[in-house]
Amino acid sequence: MDVEVIKSYLPNFIKAFFLTIKIGWIGIALAFIIGIVCAFILYFKVPVFSGFVKGYVELFRNTPLLVQLFFIYYGLPAIGVKIPAELCGILGLGLLGGSYMAESFRSGLEAVPVIQTESALSLGMTRRQLFIYVILPQAFSISVPAIVANIIFLLKETSVFSAISLMDLMFTAKDYIGLYYNTFESLFLLVIFYIVMLLPVSFAGSIIERKCSF
Amino acid sequence: MDEILKIEHLNKKFDDLTVLEDISLEVKKGEVVVVVGPSGCGKSTFLRCINGLETIQDGKILLDGETVNPPLGNIKNYREKIGMVFQSYDLFPHKTIIENLMLAPLKVQKRNKVEVRKEAEELLEKVGLSSKKDNYPRQLSGGQKQRVAIVRALIMHPEVLLFDEVTAALDPEMVREVLDVIMELARQNRTMLIVTHEMAFAKAVADRVIFMDGGVIVEDTDPKSFFENPATERAKKFLSTFEYNE
């Protein structure tokens, strides 16, 4: 392993690292919002909308992110919709993650025992109060482990962004390998940067899981 | 005259299955009515109909002369006045004991926080659980949780209290502490409907015993006559299941 090579690659890897983090977390935030909205629609069985949500969830959970990105990046321009690569990455990740988050939130909501609803109602709470003070906090706690797992999964999925020419970590590593054949140094840096990105999330995740359990 | 709760010709069905048939009952203020009967006779469903957790197909339930079920207007106003304690420990697991007690008075009744906290602490003191106020439900035993659940109903100042087999899920050694709390409430002349399988307790606490079987009221009498001299064969048979003679 050549330390000099690593040193010279470092600046571009750091740039790629921040780009990956940026797109990854914006995508996850989007996934979060989509997931919550969809889970509410499913939980309250909102007519018409819940049909759409079910279709959306199945579509995105059962197709690979790479295929989704190709479709958004290369497919849509054919019908005149051109989206820049970064936005494509965010959209792809958000839509994929949204379908997973929706399922996690929904199962959390449905896992709150019926007796909780009944005791809240028997205390005179309205449906709204019941949802805000009783169902939602419990559902969130139940969902936390699944949400943390989703976040880690989504951050790892960012490695396919290179396929739509985003200069993320994977792209940078492949680029260096292609240019200079320093396979080991490039892949070493790639692994290190992914671990640096994900390890804190795993740690924070288990702390949050512990704090949120009751 | 002074009846607080009135049930008129109540009929309840789950699809085609009739669970309650032509139930009529009047409960006076301060009366303790114990409902007994074999499993599946409809006694729990009957309680659940009273605070509107179940819809009814026919008949009327009135509290203070106003219809509760079928619901006219806002059922939640009536539910405030009807406290209910369930068989399974139903405390809110994400809230501490004191938060469990304060949630409904603050949000539903919009009462003053200082006053509610004071009352919650006093009530906890009465059931011997002051030291647990900042604990979470999971840190309490089943008996302690049920005592908190009773206090959570009491703090709403209900006019009627419903107890749905509140000791059925408890370990035997914890039954007593819960029954003692209910007994104390009876001494305070609270109006209560109690579904229970604890016959000795039923005999001690009841002003009146309702024996249900197959969705109908079979006997409606005072505890002494019911336990010592039941009028019907069904009641005799039911009571004999609690005896254990070699």
Side-chain angles (χ1 to χ4, degrees):
Chain A
M1 189 161 67
D2 190 335
V3 180
E4 284 311 309
V5 170
I6 290 189
K7 267 190 195 159
S8 67
Y9 286 4
L10 215 47
N12 273 340
F13 264 97
I14 291 174
K15 233 190 263 170
F17 176 73
F18 284 112
L19 179 80
T20 308
I21 284 191
K22 184 179 115 190
I23 297 178
W25 281 103
I26 296 176
I28 286 165
L30 181 65
F32 217 77
I33 296 165
I34 294 175
I36 288 178
V37 172
C38 289
F40 282 11
I41 289 172
L42 291 175
Y43 181 72
F44 291 111
K45 300 188 173 67
V46 182
V48 186
F49 286 95
S50 54
F52 280 114
V53 169
K54 275 181 201 155
Y56 152 70
V57 168
E58 291 312 324
L59 180 65
F60 278 85
R61 282 210 309 176
N62 295 306
T63 47
L65 179 59
L66 188 60
V67 174
Q68 294 163 12
L69 287 179
F70 270 22
F71 187 82
I72 300 173
Y73 192 66
Y74 297 112
L76 289 185
I79 54 164
V81 183
K82 257 197 152 138
I83 302 170
E86 261 189 45
L87 191 58
C88 271
I90 291 168
L91 269 180
L93 204 62
L95 287 168
L96 172 76
S99 66
Y100 278 84
M101 295 287 189
E103 281 300 297
S104 303
F105 285 125
R106 184 195 55 80
S107 60
L109 287 167
E110 284 172 4
V112 178
V114 181
I115 186 72
Q116 291 288 317
T117 298
E118 294 187 338
S119 52
L121 291 179
S122 73
L123 286 165
M125 281 190 209
T126 59
R127 288 269 162 196
R128 204 173 138 260
Q129 289 170 331
L130 157 74
F131 190 69
I132 294 171
Y133 302 119
V134 178
I135 304 286
L136 210 49
Q138 291 186 54
F140 184 74
S141 300
I142 296 167
S143 309
V144 164
I147 292 165
V148 171
N150 285 346
I151 289 175
I152 292 169
F153 156 75
L154 290 171
L155 284 174
K156 288 194 284 197
E157 282 292 290
T158 56
S159 57
V160 306
F161 286 165
S162 59
I164 54 166
S165 335
L166 269 172
M167 286 199 261
D168 73 329
L169 286 169
M170 192 72 198
F171 184 94
T172 308
K174 280 202 285 195
D175 207 27
Y176 275 125
I177 293 169
L179 283 173
Y180 306 115
Y181 301 108
N182 288 321
T183 314
F184 185 78
E185 286 81 359
S186 303
L187 292 178
F188 176 76
L189 281 169
L190 182 62
V191 169
I192 295 297
F193 272 102
Y194 264 107
I195 287 179
V196 168
M197 181 161 78
L198 283 155
L199 217 50
V201 180
S202 290
F203 272 123
S206 45
I207 291 169
I208 294 169
E209 277 175 40
R210 223 173 318 129
K211 291 252 176 211
C212 284
S213 67
F214 39 76
Chain B
M1 251 296 281
D2 54 350
E3 83 254 354
I4 191 163
L5 187 67
K6 197 169 176 182
I7 292 125
E8 293 174 348
H9 308 291
L10 167 65
N11 277 284
K12 164 74 189 168
K13 282 180 192 167
F14 288 119
D15 297 323
D16 287 335
L17 181 75
T18 301
V19 188
L20 297 170
E21 201 178 346
D22 198 27
I23 304 271
S24 292
L25 183 72
E26 284 173 17
V27 179
K28 291 196 199 75
K29 200 167 164 48
E31 200 172 24
V32 178
V33 178
V34 170
V35 184
V36 296
S39 295
C41 70
K43 51 196 193 304
S44 287
T45 307
F46 176 51
L47 285 198
R48 293 163 58 82
C49 288
I50 294 176
N51 76 348
L53 286 176
E54 300 284 350
T55 55
I56 60 176
Q57 275 65 49
D58 206 1
K60 244 186 199 175
I61 296 171
L62 302 114
L63 181 74
D64 293 327
E66 290 185 73
T67 310
V68 181
N69 202 348
L72 302 170
N74 204 344
I75 180 120
K76 83 167 202 60
N77 297 334
Y78 298 107
R79 285 199 178 120
E80 278 180 59
K81 298 182 190 172
I82 305 173
M84 182 152 182
V85 184
F86 298 84
Q87 175 178 344
S88 50
Y89 331 122
D90 58 320
L91 299 179
F92 303 129
H94 59 299
K95 294 197 173 289
T96 62
I97 298 308
I98 193 99
E99 287 168 351
N100 259 279
L101 301 182
M102 293 172 65
L103 182 63
L106 294 183
K107 301 299 177 191
V108 176
Q109 295 177 325
K110 317 274 183 221
R111 277 154 63 187
N112 174 283
K113 196 170 177 176
V114 178
E115 172 247 330
V116 170
R117 177 177 288 274
K118 190 164 162 281
E119 187 179 355
E121 283 170 355
E122 282 167 8
L123 285 168
L124 277 179
E125 175 85 51
K126 276 187 192 156
V127 296
L129 291 172
S130 290
S131 60
K132 302 287 182 194
K133 67 175 175 159
D134 295 318
N135 286 102
Y136 283 89
R138 70 179 142 82
Q139 297 166 309
L140 272 63
S141 71
Q144 290 171 333
K145 277 189 263 194
Q146 280 303 48
R147 281 185 276 160
V148 174
I150 294 171
V151 169
R152 191 178 62 178
L154 284 178
I155 199 168
M156 299 295 284
H157 306 147
E159 293 176 24
V160 179
L161 280 163
L162 310 175
F163 292 92
D164 186 10
E165 296 189 41
V166 290
T167 59
L170 292 178
D171 289 336
E173 72 269 23
M174 291 168 185
V175 169
R176 185 65 193 234
E177 65 191 51
V178 176
L179 296 185
D180 283 344
V181 172
I182 302 174
M183 192 60 114
E184 177 55 33
L185 296 174
R187 284 194 203 101
Q188 297 167 10
N189 283 325
R190 301 240 182 203
T191 315
M192 301 194 278
L193 255 85
I194 303 170
V195 168
T196 185
H197 284 297
E198 302 286 336
M199 289 304 137
F201 170 69
K203 198 171 168 181
V205 78
D207 294 320
R208 197 170 142 199
V209 176
I210 305 282
F211 172 62
M212 286 178 73
D213 193 10
V216 295
I217 294 179
V218 180
E219 291 198 28
D220 178 352
T221 179
D222 64 285
K224 198 166 151 45
S225 339
F226 179 75
F227 287 105
E228 286 166 21
N229 197 11
T232 60
E233 275 308 309
R234 282 153 100 179
K236 275 180 202 155
K237 194 163 164 259
F238 171 71
L239 286 171
S240 74
T241 60
F242 291 92
E243 287 165 18
Y244 192 85
N245 297 324
E246 190 61 29

